[in-house]
Amino acid sequence: MKILFLFFIFYFISKSFGNIIPVPKDFKCSKESLIYTYGSGDPYFSKWSFTDSHYDLPFDCLNDSRSVTCTAEMNEENAKMLHGSISTCVIDSNGALVCKLITLLTNYYPNPIIEGEFKPLTKGGQTSLKGYYLAFGISSFFTILPDTEVEFQGSTFKKSFDATNILLDYQGGCGPKTLQWPNGFNFTFNHSNPIINNASSDNRSLIVTGSNFCNSSDYVNIFIDSIQIDRLNIISIDHELFEVKYNQQYCKSIVLNIVSGDLDSNKFQFDYKPLPLKINSIPKSKGGSIIITGERLSSQINNSLVIVNIGQNECKQVISSKNEITCNLDSITNGNISNNLQVYISINGIVNDNNLLFSFDVPFISDFILPQGEVKLIGDCFGTLQSTQVYIDDILQSNLTISINDKQTTLSFTPLNQIKKSKLYLIVNGTKSNVVDVDSSFYVKSIPSSPSVIGQIVNYTLYNINPSNYNSLPTIILKDNSTIKGIDIKDSFEYSTHSYSFQIPKGCGRNEISISIGNQTSRTEFYYEQLIIKSCSTNDNQLINCLGNFTNYLNYYEDDQIKIIFLNPSKYNFLESNLLDFKLDSFSFQLNKQFTSNQIYLNVCNQLLPITNIEFNSITQTPQVTKINTIEPILNDSSKHENNQNKTNNESIGSIGEVVSEKDQIQKYCANLI
């Protein structure tokens, strides 16, 4: 119907111009030729003149009794010239050539032939459109439907204009668009596919760079591990960058992709790498427990492979959590090992890339508490009695009696004089530690120092109470922020040093607390009383049985807080026995046979209690067990470790103490393991 309608229009137009404007019945366009068919006796074009390019396109016409077929041969060089204003020469119905430069009707422009891909960038810019018959009757722009003009780079009125390779000044866009020619021909195109080149994270969002992202969240879908991100979580988006709310607390790889304007991007893998931020120091000659704090230090995957290397040294028995890694580093006998060693952490093959450095033998005070009137420093590399000096307000404390645990992580002393807001630091083997502010003018002592695990009233004496706080009652603040109010026992009218009773609740192991009265606070610690083993014996089946009164500890066993630890001092291997049989008056366990020499400990609420020392003559022999009447528990108390250093292996308690002292650096591992 449309063709018939156009025919009548052109028919009447041609009549009005004296039958001079040809009206083709059909036309075909290809890269090789243009073919127009006219009715027999009708006027037809013999030549097209492109006045701006100074080029004439002749037609070779064949006239038979039914029609006239006019053909113009075409090639790339000719096609380059087909642009700008078009005028014509016509053979009229009498066969006469009439060159009146009559303008070609738009409807009979040849349809464009597009070559290659036309996929402009979403942000726009110069874009090339290649093909044939692209610039017929077009002066300076295309139209993107419905009404957006796209200008050419260069003028069609110049002879140098190439009509087969048009540069467009494209302003950009998203999704499918349609170019329209003057003859009504439509060409629908889409933009270049989005490409993700890089990604980064700032712990609150994910920032992705690339190209062709569009500039509106309405046109895009963003996926992380195939899960679409809610558009409300898109913080910003531009053609070359988008930012989304996303935070990953674990070490893992994610896969990103974006669908922009119905076009899919590449899949981009981004690693949330471990980020170690802080590491302690240990003595080179002893080794010890390494503690690394930071972010993304574990994976959500069970049985993850976590490897820690400090320089070329492997850190063993690694335990990782989201913000902390602990492991054991052996002593270094090679004196050529330098400091400032690079810390490498690999979690399931994902390795940190930040520059965290480790150094041996660097004293550092991380905290202090005031247990029983002492000053107890907590930190790393506190040295030995012979190598360590304590300075208070830049004065060497030469007459001070100090005790240092074997791990060199705690140092305790009783001040010779009252310390009031003094600056304290250590010098260990000539290396100075950091400086901390210590105020021990207000401190506390307790009786008993180790309350029962079932709970007990403990009397705390507070020293150097300010007069403004005489009428206040003290409060104990536990680690879980629960509180215990003190009661004045009224044993004295001296209120600068005064005693109060506290109902300590049932509990187990070490407890760090604060005691406050008015505006004064002192931080201290206490250990719940350990269980007492009366005796141990073994039978021919290597089953060890220990006797005592363990009634108060049965609940802790049921809560999985009492276990057996087998420690091989030569290999630093740890085994947990699931065969512990714990009763009201005894406990028993099967001795592990794989070690030729064993030290056995009962781990009670993360405090190691030695049971006995066992020697094997051969792996098949029954071990010889020393009968023990009472055994003192090995607490994480610096004075106990130092006092045991001078005892010989022939002393039953001293021998056990010596073993623990040698391996004290792995007790934190044992505690974490439990």
Side-chain angles (χ1 to χ4, degrees):
M1 181 64 69
K2 181 178 179 182
I3 295 176
L4 183 61
F5 176 73
L6 291 174
F7 174 79
F8 280 112
I9 290 178
F10 295 132
Y11 177 78
F12 288 117
I13 291 175
S14 66
K15 287 296 184 182
S16 65
F17 282 90
N19 291 330
I20 201 66
I21 298 179
V23 180
K25 296 173 61 176
D26 189 22
F27 65 95
K28 297 178 181 179
C29 307
S30 70
K31 292 169 58 175
E32 289 75 28
S33 63
L34 295 175
I35 303 174
Y36 285 80
T37 303
Y38 306 91
S40 180
D42 292 340
Y44 56 86
F45 294 115
S46 64
K47 182 175 66 173
W48 291 347
S49 293
F50 295 85
T51 55
D52 299 311
S53 62
H54 309 293
Y55 177 73
D56 290 339
L57 178 66
F59 285 88
D60 183 15
C61 297
L62 178 63
N63 193 345
D64 58 27
S65 59
R66 291 173 297 177
S67 61
V68 177
T69 302
C70 295
T71 303
E73 300 296 331
M74 189 55 57
N75 56 46
E76 184 176 354
E77 290 302 315
N78 294 342
K80 290 180 179 181
M81 311 301 291
L82 306 184
H83 60 83
S85 302
I86 308 171
S87 298
T88 58
C89 290
V90 178
I91 301 295
D92 65 14
S93 58
N94 298 319
L97 176 63
V98 180
C99 291
K100 293 185 178 181
L101 301 179
I102 302 172
T103 301
L104 177 65
L105 292 174
T106 299
N107 302 70
Y108 290 99
Y109 290 166
N111 285 336
I113 298 174
I114 311 298
E115 289 190 319
E117 288 187 331
F118 179 69
K119 301 185 71 174
L121 301 177
T122 62
K123 72 173 184 177
Q126 279 198 354
T127 305
S128 177
L129 179 66
K130 296 182 180 180
Y132 282 61
Y133 320 122
L134 302 179
F136 262 82
I138 301 175
S139 58
S140 61
F141 60 84
F142 286 123
T143 299
I144 294 182
L145 295 180
D147 55 8
T148 302
E149 294 181 355
V150 182
E151 294 185 354
F152 296 170
Q153 293 288 305
S155 174
T156 58
F157 301 119
K158 293 183 178 180
K159 184 177 181 180
S160 60
F161 186 85
D162 182 357
T164 63
N165 186 4
I166 299 176
L167 287 179
L168 303 178
D169 185 15
Y170 183 63
Q171 297 302 308
C174 296
K177 302 291 181 183
T178 300
L179 280 175
Q180 188 174 74
W181 272 256
N183 67 345
F185 176 79
N186 291 335
F187 171 65
T188 299
F189 67 92
N190 209 330
H191 299 79
S192 295
N193 285 60
I195 298 174
I196 298 175
N197 292 328
N198 205 355
S200 61
S201 172
D202 64 359
N203 287 335
R204 75 174 185 94
S205 65
L206 187 63
I207 303 166
V208 181
T209 57
S211 57
N212 302 309
F213 295 154
C214 292
N215 61 350
S216 171
S217 60
D218 295 336
Y219 292 94
V220 302
N221 295 309
I222 298 171
F223 297 87
I224 296 178
D225 289 338
S226 301
I227 299 174
Q228 183 174 343
I229 297 296
D230 192 321
R231 283 195 173 97
L232 295 176
N233 290 327
I234 299 177
I235 298 173
S236 63
I237 186 165
D238 200 350
H239 299 290
E240 296 178 330
L241 181 147
F242 66 81
E243 181 177 2
V244 296
K245 294 178 183 177
Y246 184 80
N247 185 26
Q248 180 53 248
Q249 298 181 356
Y250 294 90
C251 176
K252 67 174 296 188
S253 293
I254 63 171
V255 177
L256 290 164
N257 68 292
I258 178 173
V259 177
S260 170
D262 300 327
L263 299 173
D264 200 353
S265 74
N266 57 313
K267 295 187 183 300
F268 184 85
Q269 178 176 308
F270 176 69
D271 292 337
Y272 276 90
K273 298 181 178 181
L275 185 61
L277 299 175
K278 185 179 179 182
I279 187 169
N280 65 324
S281 181
I282 60 171
K284 182 188 299 185
S285 62
K286 291 179 176 291
S289 181
I290 295 294
I291 303 173
I292 303 170
T293 57
E295 300 172 12
R296 300 189 295 274
L297 299 183
S298 69
S299 170
Q300 288 177 302
I301 302 173
N302 292 331
N303 300 319
S304 296
L305 179 60
V306 182
I307 300 172
V308 178
N309 285 302
I310 298 175
Q312 300 299 316
N313 309 296
E314 181 184 358
C315 203
K316 303 173 182 177
Q317 288 135 4
V318 178
I319 299 175
S320 70
S321 62
K322 186 169 59 176
N323 299 114
E324 182 178 280
I325 288 178
T326 62
C327 57
N328 292 322
L329 191 63
D330 291 341
S331 60
I332 305 296
T333 57
N334 184 357
N336 295 325
I337 297 292
S338 63
N339 281 337
N340 296 323
L341 301 176
Q342 183 72 46
V343 177
Y344 299 96
I345 298 175
S346 172
I347 302 177
N348 295 325
I350 303 174
V351 182
N352 67 297
D353 56 10
N354 67 312
N355 191 34
L356 178 65
L357 301 178
F358 167 84
S359 293
F360 289 102
D361 298 308
V362 177
F364 183 81
I365 304 171
S366 58
D367 201 0
F368 72 89
I369 57 176
L370 305 172
Q372 299 298 99
E374 290 185 323
V375 175
K376 182 176 182 180
L377 305 179
I378 302 166
D380 304 300
C381 300
F382 289 160
T384 64
L385 298 178
Q386 295 75 31
S387 65
T388 302
Q389 297 172 319
V390 177
Y391 282 79
I392 299 176
D393 294 329
D394 293 323
I395 298 174
L396 173 63
Q397 305 299 296
S398 57
N399 296 321
L400 201 63
T401 300
I402 64 174
S403 58
I404 303 172
N405 71 338
D406 191 66
K407 289 187 294 183
Q408 301 184 17
T409 56
T410 65
L411 182 151
S412 299
F413 64 89
T414 300
L416 298 177
N417 300 304
Q418 194 175 77
I419 300 177
K420 290 187 176 181
K421 296 182 179 179
S422 296
K423 295 187 178 298
L424 184 150
Y425 60 88
L426 307 177
I427 293 182
V428 182
N429 289 318
T431 302
K432 182 180 177 180
S433 76
N434 58 314
V435 180
V436 294
D437 293 321
V438 175
D439 181 359
S440 68
S441 57
F442 174 67
Y443 62 95
V444 300
K445 292 184 179 181
S446 65
I447 298 175
S449 59
S450 298
S452 170
V453 293
I454 61 174
Q456 183 176 348
I457 291 178
V458 175
N459 293 334
Y460 276 89
T461 301
L462 283 59
Y463 294 83
N464 300 317
I465 302 173
N466 290 335
S468 60
N469 298 325
Y470 286 172
N471 294 324
S472 301
L473 289 177
T475 300
I476 288 180
I477 304 171
L478 302 176
K479 199 168 186 179
D480 61 1
N481 290 323
S482 61
T483 60
I484 307 169
K485 292 291 185 181
I487 300 174
D488 189 345
I489 61 175
K490 300 184 185 300
D491 63 340
S492 170
F493 293 104
E494 170 57 50
Y495 282 94
S496 64
T497 299
H498 202 73
S499 298
Y500 302 85
S501 65
F502 295 84
Q503 180 62 57
I504 302 298
K506 66 178 181 179
C508 189
R510 177 182 179 270
N511 289 260
E512 189 171 310
I513 64 172
S514 297
I515 296 184
S516 296
I517 183 168
N519 58 4
Q520 292 177 280
T521 300
S522 178
R523 291 172 54 230
T524 184
E525 66 182 352
F526 70 85
Y527 293 84
Y528 279 100
E529 186 179 42
Q530 273 280 16
L531 57 78
I532 297 176
I533 303 171
K534 292 183 178 180
S535 62
C536 292
S537 60
T538 185
N539 61 21
D540 292 340
N541 295 322
Q542 295 184 324
L543 184 71
I544 293 182
N545 187 64
C546 295
L547 302 178
N549 183 359
F550 310 132
T551 304
N552 295 338
Y553 297 87
L554 191 59
N555 289 338
Y556 298 105
Y557 170 71
E558 293 172 351
D559 290 340
D560 205 29
Q561 295 194 58
I562 299 179
K563 296 182 180 181
I564 288 292
I565 295 290
F566 296 92
L567 183 151
N568 184 319
S570 62
K571 298 181 180 179
Y572 290 88
N573 290 326
F574 300 84
L575 294 177
E576 295 185 44
S577 173
N578 296 321
L579 303 179
L580 179 63
D581 184 13
F582 197 89
K583 300 178 181 179
L584 295 177
D585 57 358
S586 67
F587 64 84
S588 59
F589 57 93
Q590 186 70 45
L591 188 65
N592 191 294
K593 298 180 181 180
Q594 78 178 69
F595 300 123
T596 57
S597 177
N598 285 283
Q599 283 73 41
I600 307 174
Y601 301 85
L602 193 66
N603 187 300
V604 182
C605 301
N606 294 337
Q607 300 302 313
L608 296 185
L609 176 67
I611 295 177
T612 186
N613 213 355
I614 303 174
E615 297 293 335
F616 290 91
N617 293 325
S618 70
I619 196 167
T620 59
Q621 277 188 313
T622 301
Q624 302 300 313
V625 179
T626 304
K627 293 290 182 72
I628 301 174
N629 294 324
T630 59
I631 298 183
E632 180 184 5
I634 302 298
L635 304 178
N636 290 332
D637 186 291
S638 58
S639 61
K640 295 187 184 299
H641 291 294
E642 290 297 326
N643 291 337
N644 284 328
Q645 285 182 350
N646 297 322
K647 296 185 180 181
T648 66
N649 289 337
N650 294 325
E651 299 174 344
S652 60
I653 302 300
S655 174
I656 296 168
E658 185 70 23
V659 171
V660 174
S661 178
E662 289 176 358
K663 299 308 170 189
D664 195 16
Q665 66 268 27
I666 50 80
Q667 288 190 14
K668 184 178 188 301
Y669 171 82
C670 294
N672 288 333
L673 189 64
I674 301 303

